[in-house]
Amino acid sequence: MERGKMAEAESLETAAEHERILREIESTDTACIGPTLRSVYDGEEHGRFMEKLETRIRNHDREIEKMCNFHYQGFVDSITELLKVRGEAQKLKNQVTDTNRKLQHEGKELVIAMEELKQCRLQQRNISATVDKLMLCLPVLEMYSKLRDQMKTKRHYPALKTLEHLEHTYLPQVSHYRFCKVMVDNIPKLREEIKDVSMSDLKDFLESIRKHSDKIGETAMKQAQQQRNLDNIVLQQPRIGSKRKSKKDAYIIFDTEIESTSPKSEQDSGILDVEDEEDDEEVPGAQDLVDFSPVYRCLHIYSVLGARETFENYYRKQRRKQARLVLQPPSNMHETLDGYRKYFNQIVGFFVVEDHILHTTQGLVNRAYIDELWEMALSKTIAALRTHSSYCSDPNLVLDLKNLIVLFADTLQVYGFPVNQLFDMLLEIRDQYSETLLKKWAGIFRNILDSDNYSPIPVTSEEMYKKVVGQFPFQDIELEKQPFPKKFPFSEFVPKVYNQIKEFIYACLKFSEDLHLSSTEIDDMIRKSTNLLLTRTLSNSLQNVIKRKNIGLTEDARHAAEEEIYTNLNQKIDQFLQLADYDWMTGDLGNKASDYLVDLIAFLRSTFAVFTHLPGKVAQTACMSACKHLATSLMQLLLEAEVRQLTLGALQQFNLDVRECEQFARSGPVPGFQEDTLQLAFIDLRQLLDLFIQWDWSTYLADYGQPNCKYLRVNPVTALTLLEK
């Protein structure tokens, strides 16, 4: 029974499972029915399932049949309506087909037009895209074309700026185009080309200014000469205002528009042609002759390219080479003044250019570089002038050379270069000039003396008398009182020599002009040169004349000439003694002779040195006369009534001066004197001073009147007078 119940339960369970499967089959998509059916075949009751499936199919067929029977009449009606609609639909189809045919026929042109419109739209889009791309490319092409034009016209600095804009602004926007890549690859080559071309322009400039340095320097020196002439006019007319050109005014401001610079040929690279100006026209500024734009352009280009230091080193190196060439004087420079002038012009031109570069560029050259070049130039110039001027024997050429050197120095001084060494060298040339003058005047004196008849100048009228006195300032009251005709006590060579001495002094003064010397220095120079003219040149000329046996001098004329020598020599001694300035009340004990006496002894030594060519008796007499006159004058100076008191210190100083005179006498200024003969001229002074300085009155009083008395030359009246003082 239990077995039966179990079988019944299993049967119910199987039936429920089959029912579920059927429901699932009915509701499940056909594609997914496989797993459901598999569960049927996995079990053992598929036969019973088939029975249930058949039963379910039959049930559904019955329901379908019922439904069809219920809706049959509606179906028939629907079919009938559908058949009617089919006819109408066929008509409509025919109408649509006909309409479509007509529409196709009528719209054929429209389709063609639409197709054309479509193509136009496509072309329009392409054109618009092309225009947009071209709008990006055109500036690049325009800039590149501008770059090529600038390089073609040698506007290198603007070309470099254009290249920078092209590289950093325009090309990045169209970098994907092939032509742009070509441009990018070509940029370094263009930079090098600009760099090389600008350097070529600089080389042309350097070569041009090397060739034209003398023209630049000539213009600068003309300017300096004009300024000096203007200054002289102002000095002569102090109330008239003047505008002295300063260094700043000397510069010409160059408003060089680099963007618009035009190409220049080789011949005008750096130098502008200027026609020769007339003397009365204003000389153009030195910088007016020079176009410095090649330097500025090249400097800017190298600065932008980051190679400024390379450019500076190259420029300075080349200019140093040019400086050495400029400072090399031609071997025949000393032959003419033009040789010196061209040499100076080239040097001035070189430094005018460098000074302008210094003040118009930022560091291309600096003050240290300029000073170094100037020191080199100064030493080489001075050495060259010393060498070449030593060959010159014409005083006129030496004077012209001096004036040229002064103008050279003044010109460079305007530009701030120190020129003291040039003026120091002119003092050396001054000595050479004096020697050439002495040689020239030796010939002049010789010609005058050779052509003279050594006879007194006769005058027969007041007019003739005044003419001679006008040439030689001779004054003789006795001669003026004599009636005409009368004779001067000298021959014609005297006024001629006198006038030539004045000419000599004038020639010496001409050299001292513009040397920035004080009046004392000029006086010393003139005095020294004139003393040499008188004591050496004129003296030698006179000695040569006197030694001639055929000279037409009478014995009265010789004696007169000798007396004139003695008289003039004593007068010169008196002039020196007028400079004596003793402090008779001093308490200090001096240790050297007075300055005036030292100068007097030096004058006597130089004078007697040239007396060696005179007859021995004349020289000895002149020397003894001078010493006696000096001793007598010193004694009078000591005893003069104006000196009421004196101290032992003053007497000691006076004693030092007498010792200087005795030393001069012992030195034998003129040969032929016996030992101590010349010193006897000062024996009176010596014994008087020894008596007072040694205070040896006991010896003086004890030996007075004896022939061998130590103070035999001391006059009692003189001793008493000095003792009272």
Side-chain angles (χ1 to χ4, degrees):
M1 187 172 180
E2 291 178 357
R3 184 178 296 175
K5 289 181 180 181
M6 292 177 62
E8 184 177 359
E10 291 178 357
S11 177
L12 290 174
E13 184 178 353
T14 301
E17 179 65 19
H18 287 171
E19 187 65 25
R20 183 189 67 75
I21 293 172
L22 289 173
R23 285 196 303 270
E24 187 173 341
I25 290 172
E26 290 173 347
S27 60
T28 303
D29 191 6
T30 305
C32 299
I33 201 171
T36 303
L37 294 177
R38 181 177 297 278
S39 65
V40 175
Y41 286 96
D42 287 341
E44 298 178 353
E45 299 296 334
H46 59 275
R48 294 180 65 183
F49 176 76
M50 291 299 297
E51 292 177 357
K52 281 188 172 291
L53 181 60
E54 289 291 337
T55 301
R56 180 62 63 89
I57 292 172
R58 285 194 296 269
N59 290 335
H60 280 297
D61 288 340
R62 282 195 295 271
E63 289 178 359
I64 292 171
E65 185 176 0
K66 287 180 181 180
M67 187 175 291
C68 289
N69 291 330
F70 179 76
H71 293 287
Y72 177 75
Q73 185 60 42
F75 174 74
V76 172
D77 293 338
S78 297
I79 292 299
T80 302
E81 290 295 329
L82 184 61
L83 290 174
K84 291 179 180 179
V85 169
R86 186 177 64 179
E88 295 298 327
Q90 184 64 39
K91 292 180 181 179
L92 181 61
K93 178 181 178 182
N94 293 335
Q95 290 177 357
V96 168
T97 301
D98 185 55
T99 301
N100 180 60
R101 185 177 63 255
K102 293 179 180 179
L103 183 62
Q104 290 294 333
H105 177 73
E106 296 296 334
K108 185 176 182 180
E109 294 181 0
L110 179 61
V111 170
I112 295 174
M114 290 299 294
E115 187 65 27
E116 292 178 354
L117 179 61
K118 178 182 177 182
Q119 292 297 326
C120 288
R121 294 284 186 182
L122 181 61
Q123 291 176 0
Q124 186 180 21
R125 286 197 302 271
N126 292 339
I127 291 173
S128 179
T130 303
V131 169
D132 293 340
K133 301 300 182 182
L134 287 177
M135 290 301 291
L136 292 176
C137 295
L138 279 177
V140 177
L141 298 174
E142 290 174 354
M143 291 295 287
Y144 192 79
S145 176
K146 180 181 178 181
L147 172 64
R148 301 308 301 183
D149 290 341
Q150 289 170 339
M151 294 186 65
K152 184 177 180 181
T153 55
K154 296 186 177 181
R155 297 164 60 196
H156 306 124
Y157 182 68
L160 191 61
K161 288 295 185 182
T162 302
L163 188 62
E164 293 294 319
H165 288 303
L166 183 65
E167 181 181 19
H168 298 293
T169 304
Y170 294 95
L171 284 177
Q173 300 177 6
V174 290
S175 58
H176 55 282
Y177 294 110
R178 187 171 60 183
F179 78 91
C180 293
K181 294 180 180 178
V182 175
M183 289 184 183
V184 171
D185 295 338
N186 202 33
I187 283 177
K189 299 178 183 178
L190 292 174
R191 279 202 179 93
E192 287 300 318
E193 182 179 350
I194 292 173
K195 189 176 178 181
D196 294 341
V197 173
S198 63
M199 180 57 71
S200 176
D201 289 346
L202 176 67
K203 290 178 180 178
D204 293 341
F205 170 81
L206 292 175
E207 179 63 21
S208 185
I209 60 173
R210 185 188 68 80
K211 294 179 180 178
H212 296 82
S213 286
D214 55 343
K215 180 64 176 178
I216 300 170
E218 178 186 358
T219 303
M221 292 180 73
K222 281 183 179 179
Q223 272 192 319
Q225 182 65 56
Q226 283 188 345
Q227 185 60 52
R228 192 163 67 178
N229 294 340
L230 179 61
D231 291 343
N232 292 335
I233 294 174
V234 172
L235 289 176
Q236 294 173 6
Q237 300 176 353
R239 293 187 178 180
I240 299 179
S242 67
K243 294 183 179 179
R244 182 176 179 87
K245 289 185 179 179
S246 64
K247 181 180 178 183
K248 180 179 179 181
D249 297 330
Y251 289 118
I252 304 301
I253 305 301
F254 293 96
D255 296 327
T256 306
E257 295 293 339
I258 298 179
E259 290 289 340
S260 61
T261 51
S262 59
K264 296 182 180 296
S265 62
E266 181 179 355
Q267 68 177 14
D268 63 1
S269 176
I271 303 296
L272 306 178
D273 292 333
V274 176
E275 297 180 357
D276 293 337
E277 296 83 4
E278 297 295 333
D279 292 340
D280 56 349
E281 293 183 356
E282 182 180 357
V283 178
Q287 288 78 22
D288 284 341
L289 302 177
V290 185
D291 174 24
F292 288 92
S293 58
V295 180
Y296 303 147
R297 285 197 301 268
C298 198
L299 175 61
H300 288 315
I301 288 170
Y302 272 72
S303 298
V304 171
L305 295 177
R308 181 187 177 99
E309 184 176 357
T310 301
F311 174 78
E312 290 178 359
N313 293 335
Y314 176 82
Y315 178 85
R316 295 182 184 184
K317 181 180 179 181
Q318 295 302 315
R319 289 297 280 165
R320 280 193 181 95
K321 290 181 179 179
Q322 291 186 354
R324 292 187 181 95
L325 291 175
V326 166
L327 295 171
Q328 186 66 34
S331 58
N332 61 342
M333 183 174 72
H334 60 276
E335 294 179 358
T336 63
L337 189 65
D338 287 338
Y340 290 103
R341 182 178 289 109
K342 185 175 181 180
Y343 179 64
F344 290 146
N345 286 344
Q346 289 179 342
I347 297 175
V348 171
F350 178 89
F351 282 100
V352 165
V353 170
E354 289 307 289
D355 187 74
H356 187 77
I357 290 292
L358 173 66
H359 290 88
T360 56
T361 60
Q362 295 291 333
L364 177 56
V365 298
N366 52 34
R367 175 53 62 184
Y369 160 82
I370 295 292
D371 291 343
E372 177 189 351
L373 282 181
W374 176 240
E375 286 297 325
M376 176 185 71
L378 201 58
S379 61
K380 289 184 177 293
T381 301
I382 290 176
L385 290 176
R386 282 196 181 112
T387 300
H388 286 269
S389 64
S390 62
Y391 300 142
C392 184
S393 58
D394 181 4
N396 293 327
L397 181 57
V398 177
L399 182 61
D400 291 339
L401 174 59
K402 166 257 169 182
N403 292 329
L404 192 58
I405 293 174
V406 170
L407 180 58
F408 171 70
D410 288 346
T411 303
L412 288 170
Q413 194 170 29
V414 170
Y415 292 91
F417 295 100
V419 294
N420 292 337
Q421 294 184 41
L422 288 172
F423 285 102
D424 293 341
M425 184 204 61
L426 282 174
L427 299 181
E428 300 176 17
I429 296 180
R430 178 193 64 186
D431 296 335
Q432 177 189 347
Y433 176 70
S434 297
E435 289 297 324
T436 58
L437 285 181
L438 291 174
K439 291 179 181 179
K440 178 180 179 180
W441 257 260
I444 293 174
F445 289 153
R446 184 170 55 251
N447 293 334
I448 292 174
L449 294 174
D450 288 346
S451 62
D452 195 70
N453 57 11
Y454 301 99
S455 300
I457 301 176
V459 289
T460 58
S461 63
E462 184 69 23
E463 183 180 355
M464 293 178 64
Y465 184 88
K466 289 182 179 180
K467 182 179 179 181
V468 174
V469 174
Q471 294 175 351
F472 179 66
F474 178 76
Q475 293 182 350
D476 188 338
I477 297 177
E478 295 297 330
L479 182 62
E480 291 178 0
K481 293 179 180 179
Q482 294 178 10
F484 292 102
K486 50 188 175 182
K487 296 181 180 180
F488 283 95
F490 48 80
S491 63
E492 291 184 354
F493 90 86
V494 174
K496 290 181 180 178
V497 167
Y498 175 79
N499 287 325
Q500 286 301 320
I501 292 174
K502 290 199 299 183
E503 290 294 325
F504 178 86
I505 294 174
Y506 175 74
C508 292
L509 283 173
K510 288 292 291 182
F511 193 91
S512 66
E513 291 178 353
D514 303 317
L515 292 186
H516 311 299
L517 298 174
S518 65
S519 58
T520 303
E521 291 174 318
I522 295 175
D523 291 344
D524 290 342
M525 181 191 76
I526 300 300
R527 186 181 299 108
K528 178 182 176 182
S529 300
T530 306
N531 285 340
L532 287 175
L533 178 71
L534 296 175
T535 60
R536 192 178 74 184
T537 306
L538 181 58
S539 177
N540 289 340
S541 299
L542 291 173
Q543 290 167 16
N544 292 332
V545 171
I546 292 173
K547 288 181 179 179
R548 296 177 189 172
K549 295 182 179 180
N550 60 346
I551 193 68
L553 285 177
T554 63
E555 193 69 23
D556 296 333
R558 285 183 179 272
H559 286 303
E562 292 172 5
E563 288 298 328
E564 191 69 20
I565 291 174
Y566 309 149
T567 302
N568 289 334
L569 195 56
N570 291 341
Q571 289 177 352
K572 191 67 176 179
I573 292 173
D574 291 339
Q575 293 176 6
F576 276 98
L577 289 172
Q578 290 176 1
L579 301 176
D581 186 18
Y582 289 102
D583 183 5
W584 298 111
M585 299 304 295
T586 183
D588 299 331
L589 298 178
N591 56 7
K592 64 176 183 179
S594 302
D595 291 339
Y596 87 92
L597 193 73
V598 173
D599 293 340
L600 172 57
I601 296 301
F603 166 74
L604 292 176
R605 288 185 189 280
S606 62
T607 301
F608 292 135
V610 299
F611 275 21
T612 54
H613 299 291
L614 292 176
K617 181 181 177 182
V618 175
Q620 293 170 11
T621 303
C623 186
M624 179 59 76
S625 173
C627 289
K628 287 182 177 180
H629 182 75
L630 177 57
T632 302
S633 299
L634 288 173
M635 183 67 80
Q636 292 174 354
L637 190 63
L638 186 63
L639 299 177
E640 63 183 3
E642 294 181 0
V643 181
R644 299 182 181 277
Q645 265 185 312
L646 54 83
T647 62
L648 185 60
L651 205 60
Q652 187 67 37
Q653 179 63 51
F654 197 81
N655 182 56
L656 290 173
D657 292 347
V658 175
R659 286 184 183 277
E660 187 74 17
C661 296
E662 291 173 333
Q663 177 62 31
F664 168 70
R666 282 195 299 271
S667 66
V670 172
F673 284 107
Q674 295 181 359
E675 187 177 359
D676 296 337
T677 301
L678 201 56
Q679 287 180 261
L680 293 176
F682 302 96
I683 191 64
D684 292 1
L685 274 172
R686 170 50 47 212
Q687 291 185 7
L688 179 63
L689 290 172
D690 286 348
L691 173 61
F692 275 84
I693 292 174
Q694 298 175 11
W695 207 250
D696 195 11
W697 291 100
S698 59
T699 303
Y700 176 72
L701 295 174
D703 295 343
Y704 180 74
Q706 297 181 12
N708 296 325
C709 178
K710 181 180 179 181
Y711 301 103
L712 181 63
R713 307 288 297 185
V714 179
N715 188 295
V717 177
T718 301
L720 181 60
T721 302
L722 189 58
L723 183 60
E724 291 176 351
K725 294 185 178 184

